[in-house]
Amino acid sequence: MLAAGICMILLVVLFGALGPIFVDTDKAQPLATTPRQEPSWEHPFGTDDAGRDLLAVMIVGVPLTMRIGLLAGTVGMSLGVFLGFTSGYMGGKIDTAIRGTVDTLLTVPGLVVLVSIASTIREEISVNIMALVVASLAWMWPTRTIRSQVLTMRERAYVQMAKLNGMNNREIIWKELFPNLLPYLAANFTNAVNWAILSSVGLEALGLGPQNDPTLGMTIYWAITFSALIRGMWWWWAIPIFFIALIFVGLLLIAAGLDELANPKQRKAV
Amino acid sequence: MKRWLSCLAVGMLLGCGGGGVGGEHKDIPRNRTLIMDCSNLQDCGGQIKDYNTFNPYLLIGKSNTGWNFLYEPLYFYNAYDNKGENIIPWIATGHEYNADYTEVVITIREGVEWSDGQPWTVHDLVFTINMLRDNAPELAFSTDMEAWVKEAVAVDDLTAKITLNKANPRFVFSYFTHNFDNGIPIVPKHIWEGQDPNNFKNFDLAKGWPVVSGPYKIAISVPEQRVWDLRDDWWAQKVGFRDMPKVERIIYLTHMEETKRVQNLISNTMDTSLDIRPPNIRSILDSNPNVSTWSGRELPYGYLDWWPVCLGFNNLEPPFNDPEIRRAVNYAIDRDQLVAIGWQGAGTKSHLPLPDFPPMRKYTDQIQDLIEKYEIGVFDPAKSAAIMERKGYAKDAEGFWAKDGERIKIAIDIFDIFTDLAPVMAAQFKQVGFDASFRMTSDVFSRMAQGVARSFLMGNGGSVRDPYFTMRLYHSRFVQPTGTHAERFWRWSNPEYDALVDQMGQTAPDDPELQRLFREAMEIWLSELPSIPIVQWYHRIPHNETYWKNWPTAENPYINSAYWHNTWLLVLLGLEPAQG
């Protein structure tokens, strides 16, 4: 699973990295070419209503969408690691406060909150702002799951031994707990990136994304706005959806593979 | 099947309950029913929010699902008639101003009645004017009445005299001649007298309210739908003024997003809808041979609206406070390409902020030399570059104009209706070296009003008969400092222009002097270019002919077909059943 997932994501990364060598990325802008062209040798992915070449759009848009996912995932995961470790290891009132906050926020539908946040932004939404919007909710699941792992680990013998050896809390967290959780954190990070990408695509498809950038979600937004489905312009919506599916499945397989590595029980089950 | 559909609709409504449901309901077949969605997203999104009120003077929270065509006006105005028969007397038979336009005497026809059988007299007109004037500024139209009306009195039942605070040769046209979204609804004195108009719901089906003068009465009004049924005692038929409409039932559904509208029109579930963007109306025409438009099944799939679109600026703030920079931007716009790509050819470019209606041409034809002189509509990147270089700009490493290391940025604020034009325009600017982008935020209106938006796409809702109202939009009386709410967004001032526009306001449309004043004012406007004319605005409204024919068209332009406008009654009177 891990290998298959890595291959899929590598394919997507290479597409974005090597694409500009073969395709003029200026063609991702409106007026770059003849509008409304079906896929052909000249335009393998076709063109949209404004004259964007959709191959160029994908070459520019896939890395932009990945960037949103990675940025949001990194911010969300960092917060989640900090809060999860603090809550799980420290316990007491801090744990109650963090756990209560997370449990409460997790009951609120994420997309609704994100739509509210995104629609209150008064400036032009850039890719980085988009990532921060998504990151605002990307920390809760990591916090909860990391906390639960830390809760079990802090009772283990090697942690007790470290305490007896005089290590302080910070040293125990960073030198004892953190390394043991790395595969688990990696799986969590992959999930966080995946969630962030899907959330950003969802927001963008509603028009709440970086309107001047050809991300995958904004491409879907334009396809919806101009009724590509009804008009039979299948390439306009199908191609970005294909890339989203590829990224989603790839990241899912990586996360599942990492989970296997981190969790021997799961390995046996498979 | 058809009968079943209508029965189903009514049956569902009856099951819905709610405060507004009516009493007994006639069984009216689908081919005598007209179905459309409510045009206002804000007031009908998800549900018709004013389903249990009918107060046309509320500033917010009223949907155009009845009041706009059932309070009949003194006159209608048809901007599309090219034979000169633009004014259509309705309740009024005539009016006459005194020599200095400070007084007007209005006479109305005999036999006009409200839906409860009470006579419609000038007492209703006078009451409406005074009620609005006394309730300024809380009610819609009230500030206008306060500003203009000194006294309104009834001379007798059929004659009213209105004395104005200052000369206004357009008073009757501005307020009591319904056209597009314009016109004050006149309400029955015997219902509204003694009520607080700020809170009066005017809705009680048991009492027969709302009392209107038009030929329909509410059958059902629930959050999901508002249904009007034809009443057989309309005054206009009784006095032989007009035949009864053939449309026996009108159903307004809640507001729909465009994709849903397209599907409903293709499946003949709806007969017309809010205007639709070019690619989608083409899809409807391709999928449903029974659907047509004002221009038939040909481009531009609609009619010219009164809202020509300009690229506007906050003229107080750099860099757009410099007329030369504005002119450089003008040379960077390829309007033909905007229409061809952005609208897929379904529209026309514009060189003026005025709509190209037949009555307007006697004014606009005489300034074509000025348009050529100031090269409005000329796409010439070389001239744009020459201006920018003269102003001290040079292109940076990425090919964008910059001065002192700072790029000139054009961030165009837009409403969602401009999502087809704005990306194309931004790309055009980038191609000639302007660092351009567009943004569509939820607070776009207040951004423009506050002046935070430095450049924006906006229509000029002004003139439909003579150029005064559009010219007035650019009067410096609307200028407010950046950061302060302004009624008009351009923040441009020119004392000489103001003086000419003030004179235009005092000059009757048929006075030849108006031509001279307009030309002089327009020369100032075109030389300074406070906003750049881009395109004429179109309503691409589908006309489904499965059940109804004789919709207004370019060949038969008896009125425009926007059902949210105050002229919708004329369309209802024009429609003929397509089936039997």
Side-chain angles (χ1 to χ4, degrees):
Chain A
M1 270 202 286
L2 185 62
I6 289 172
C7 282
M8 289 168 83
I9 295 301
L10 204 61
L11 199 70
V12 172
V13 170
L14 285 174
F15 175 78
L18 301 180
I21 298 170
F22 304 102
V23 176
D24 178 6
T25 51
D26 284 346
K27 287 187 175 173
Q29 297 300 319
L31 303 180
T33 185
T34 315
R36 296 177 291 283
Q37 298 296 301
E38 283 184 33
S40 62
W41 282 113
E42 197 184 351
H43 304 290
F45 288 180
T47 67
D48 71 5
D49 264 358
R52 301 178 187 93
D53 180 286
L54 286 168
L55 175 59
V57 166
M58 290 303 109
I59 288 169
V60 177
V62 167
L64 286 177
T65 300
M66 295 285 280
R67 191 168 114 197
I68 293 173
L70 283 168
L71 267 172
T74 305
V75 173
M77 194 62 196
S78 304
L79 260 171
V81 166
F82 175 74
L83 293 171
F85 273 96
T86 307
S87 175
Y89 188 78
M90 304 300 284
K93 286 181 181 171
I94 293 176
D95 181 38
T96 308
I98 293 174
R99 192 189 63 209
T101 308
V102 168
D103 286 350
T104 308
L105 289 177
L106 278 173
T107 62
V108 182
L111 192 61
V112 175
V113 177
L114 290 177
V115 166
S116 307
I117 297 170
S119 58
T120 53
I121 293 174
R122 302 292 181 232
E123 292 302 319
E124 186 183 328
I125 298 178
S126 66
V127 166
N128 291 344
I129 290 176
M130 190 70 198
L132 289 177
V133 169
V134 175
S136 65
L137 291 190
W139 55 274
M140 295 179 307
W141 268 111
T143 302
R144 176 186 258 192
T145 53
I146 291 166
R147 174 186 168 273
S148 65
Q149 290 293 316
V150 173
L151 273 178
T152 61
M153 288 175 77
R154 73 175 187 185
E155 304 302 332
R156 302 240 171 108
Y158 65 90
V159 176
Q160 299 304 323
M161 191 63 73
K163 278 183 182 171
L164 290 173
N165 284 339
M167 286 174 86
N168 63 29
N169 288 343
R170 196 166 52 184
E171 283 174 323
I172 292 170
I173 288 173
W174 285 110
K175 291 182 179 170
E176 299 296 335
L177 298 181
F178 195 78
N180 279 299
L181 268 180
L182 268 180
Y184 183 79
L185 294 179
N188 248 283
F189 175 68
T190 315
N191 278 330
V193 171
N194 215 353
W195 179 87
I197 287 174
L198 288 184
S199 299
S200 71
V201 167
L203 282 181
E204 288 167 357
L206 294 171
L208 297 169
Q211 290 149 2
N212 292 279
D213 294 310
T215 60
L216 295 180
M218 286 313 298
T219 306
I220 291 172
Y221 167 73
W222 292 118
I224 294 170
T225 303
F226 293 99
S227 302
L229 192 66
I230 294 172
R231 296 163 61 203
M233 294 175 72
W234 59 267
W235 58 92
W236 197 353
W237 53 267
I239 290 168
I241 286 176
F242 167 76
F243 276 97
I244 291 166
L246 200 64
I247 294 168
F248 176 74
V249 174
L251 289 174
L252 203 67
L253 289 174
I254 291 174
L258 288 170
D259 213 27
E260 261 184 48
L261 282 179
N263 188 349
K265 279 184 189 168
Q266 187 124 14
R267 207 155 46 216
K268 277 178 197 163
V270 175
Chain B
M1 177 69 178
K2 291 160 203 159
R3 187 169 294 264
W4 177 83
L5 274 172
S6 102
C7 291
L8 176 70
V10 175
M12 283 167 63
L13 292 167
L14 289 170
C16 291
V21 178
E24 284 186 18
H25 304 287
K26 285 188 281 185
D27 185 9
I28 295 172
R30 174 67 180 92
N31 60 13
R32 293 293 183 275
T33 303
L34 190 73
I35 304 177
M36 62 215 127
D37 67 327
C38 168
S39 62
N40 315 46
L41 169 64
Q42 222 165 15
D43 300 312
C44 299
Q47 61 174 10
I48 298 173
K49 295 188 177 71
D50 64 342
Y51 75 93
N52 59 355
T53 64
F54 202 78
N55 185 333
Y57 303 120
L58 299 180
L59 287 168
I60 53 168
K62 62 174 194 278
S63 61
N64 295 17
T65 53
W67 69 266
N68 56 309
F69 68 93
L70 291 170
Y71 288 121
E72 294 166 275
L74 299 184
Y75 299 92
F76 284 110
Y77 174 73
N78 178 9
Y80 301 88
D81 189 290
N82 49 18
K83 295 176 200 139
E85 295 166 8
N86 308 94
I87 296 282
I88 304 166
W90 205 255
I91 288 178
T93 51
H95 66 273
E96 199 169 341
Y97 288 96
N98 65 354
D100 62 359
Y101 298 105
T102 55
E103 197 176 282
V104 59
V105 174
I106 298 167
T107 51
I108 65 163
R109 70 180 70 243
E110 261 187 286
V112 182
E113 284 178 0
W114 294 102
S115 53
D116 61 358
Q118 293 291 311
W120 198 116
T121 68
V122 293
H123 296 285
D124 299 303
L125 170 66
V126 167
F127 169 79
T128 298
I129 291 172
N130 290 333
M131 177 188 70
L132 291 172
R133 191 188 56 180
D134 296 344
N135 284 278
E138 276 80 18
L139 303 178
F141 317 106
S142 59
T143 47
D144 292 289
M145 291 302 101
E146 187 187 36
W148 287 112
V149 178
K150 190 174 187 180
E151 186 183 37
V153 292
V155 177
D156 56 48
D157 281 356
L158 303 179
T159 312
K161 188 169 90 173
I162 301 165
T163 310
L164 305 176
N165 288 318
K166 51 191 171 182
N168 184 351
R170 294 173 183 80
F171 180 79
V172 173
F173 182 80
S174 302
Y175 302 112
F176 298 104
T177 304
H178 284 198
N179 63 88
F180 301 93
D181 307 285
N182 303 314
I184 294 178
I186 301 163
V187 293
K189 180 183 176 186
H190 64 280
I191 302 292
W192 284 70
E193 195 168 33
Q195 305 284 354
D196 172 9
N198 295 291
N199 300 307
F200 185 37
K201 284 193 163 190
N202 190 29
F203 191 94
D204 187 337
L205 297 185
K207 288 184 182 172
W209 292 3
V211 171
V212 294
S213 61
Y216 292 91
K217 63 182 177 194
I218 285 189
I220 299 166
S221 190
V222 290
E224 297 81 9
Q225 306 189 48
R226 175 168 272 175
V227 180
W228 294 94
D229 279 356
L230 192 63
R231 60 186 180 88
D232 51 17
D233 52 354
W234 185 37
W235 67 269
Q237 190 210 24
K238 284 188 193 172
V239 301
F241 177 58
R242 284 289 189 277
D243 290 335
M244 291 295 280
K246 307 292 189 305
V247 177
E248 294 179 31
R249 173 167 287 166
I250 305 166
I251 299 179
Y252 286 99
L253 306 171
T254 53
H255 180 83
M256 290 177 194
E257 54 129 359
E258 189 158 318
T259 318
K260 213 169 169 183
R261 271 182 260 146
V262 170
Q263 289 163 348
N264 278 309
L265 284 151
I266 290 173
S267 62
N268 296 324
T269 315
M270 292 207 310
D271 299 294
T272 185
S273 82
L274 188 62
D275 52 323
I276 284 180
R277 64 181 76 235
N280 290 346
I281 195 141
R282 186 175 273 179
S283 298
I284 298 171
L285 295 173
D286 289 345
S287 307
N288 189 342
N290 290 332
V291 175
S292 188
T293 67
W294 175 276
S295 56
R297 299 174 69 81
E298 307 298 324
L299 292 170
Y301 311 125
Y303 64 82
L304 201 68
D305 189 35
W306 67 307
W307 206 63
V309 175
C310 290
L311 176 64
F313 303 106
N314 176 348
N315 286 283
L316 287 178
E317 302 295 332
F320 304 117
N321 58 347
D322 183 341
E324 283 202 85
I325 296 291
R326 301 198 290 265
R327 195 154 297 280
V329 173
N330 171 59
Y331 283 126
I333 301 169
D334 183 346
R335 291 162 179 79
D336 292 318
Q337 191 182 48
L338 270 176
V339 172
I341 306 290
W343 279 353
Q344 302 185 14
T348 49
K349 59 186 174 180
S350 181
H351 298 153
L352 289 170
L354 298 155
D356 187 29
F357 293 139
M360 295 294 297
R361 288 186 197 136
K362 71 179 172 193
Y363 303 98
T364 54
D365 283 353
Q366 57 118 348
I367 58 158
Q368 291 304 310
D369 59 321
L370 296 180
I371 293 169
E372 281 175 31
K373 178 181 169 186
Y374 292 105
E375 301 194 317
I376 312 301
V378 172
F379 170 58
D380 192 335
K383 284 186 176 172
S384 177
I387 293 173
M388 295 308 288
E389 283 165 4
R390 195 165 67 240
K391 302 300 291 183
Y393 286 87
K395 285 195 175 173
D396 65 12
E398 290 182 62
F400 291 117
W401 292 114
K403 187 158 77 172
D404 305 326
E406 200 173 330
R407 280 183 187 169
I408 185 166
K409 286 185 187 289
I410 306 179
I412 311 164
D413 279 274
I414 60 162
F415 297 102
D416 60 350
I417 51 174
F418 294 124
T419 47
D420 33 22
L421 292 178
V424 180
M425 182 179 273
Q428 287 183 351
F429 287 148
K430 279 184 185 168
Q431 285 176 355
V432 299
F434 290 106
D435 185 5
S437 61
F438 65 95
R439 64 184 159 209
M440 183 174 60
T441 55
S442 54
D443 64 336
V444 57
F445 189 84
S446 67
R447 293 176 73 87
M448 293 184 200
Q450 300 276 334
V452 179
R454 298 292 196 259
S455 60
F456 47 86
L457 283 176
M458 186 66 192
N460 291 260
S463 296
V464 296
R465 183 179 63 157
D466 76 78
Y468 169 67
F469 290 110
T470 295
M471 304 302 279
R472 184 176 168 269
L473 300 175
Y474 291 88
H475 195 287
S476 68
R477 76 168 65 113
F478 299 116
V479 174
Q480 294 290 336
T482 301
T484 306
H485 184 96
E487 193 182 335
R488 308 289 172 205
F489 311 144
W490 297 282
R491 291 176 159 81
W492 173 71
S493 55
N494 181 305
E496 205 184 332
Y497 177 90
D498 288 350
L500 286 163
V501 170
D502 287 340
Q503 285 182 65
M504 285 177 75
Q506 308 283 309
T507 309
D510 52 1
D511 187 335
E513 175 68 358
L514 189 67
Q515 297 272 8
R516 182 189 66 80
L517 294 167
F518 169 59
R519 185 180 170 83
E520 285 180 25
M522 207 66 221
E523 174 134 32
I524 295 170
W525 195 93
L526 291 170
S527 67
E528 294 225 2
L529 217 53
S531 69
I532 301 173
I534 306 290
V535 287
Q536 293 284 343
W537 188 249
Y538 280 82
H539 276 168
R540 300 176 195 90
I541 297 176
H543 302 156
N544 193 333
E545 296 178 340
T546 304
Y547 301 112
W548 296 103
K549 61 183 184 182
N550 198 38
W551 293 88
T553 62
E555 288 76 37
N556 181 21
Y558 61 88
I559 201 66
N560 59 319
S561 55
Y563 55 82
W564 56 95
H565 278 172
N566 295 3
T567 48
W568 175 235
L569 178 61
L570 297 182
V571 180
L572 290 169
L573 291 169
L575 289 177
E576 298 283 343
Q579 300 178 353

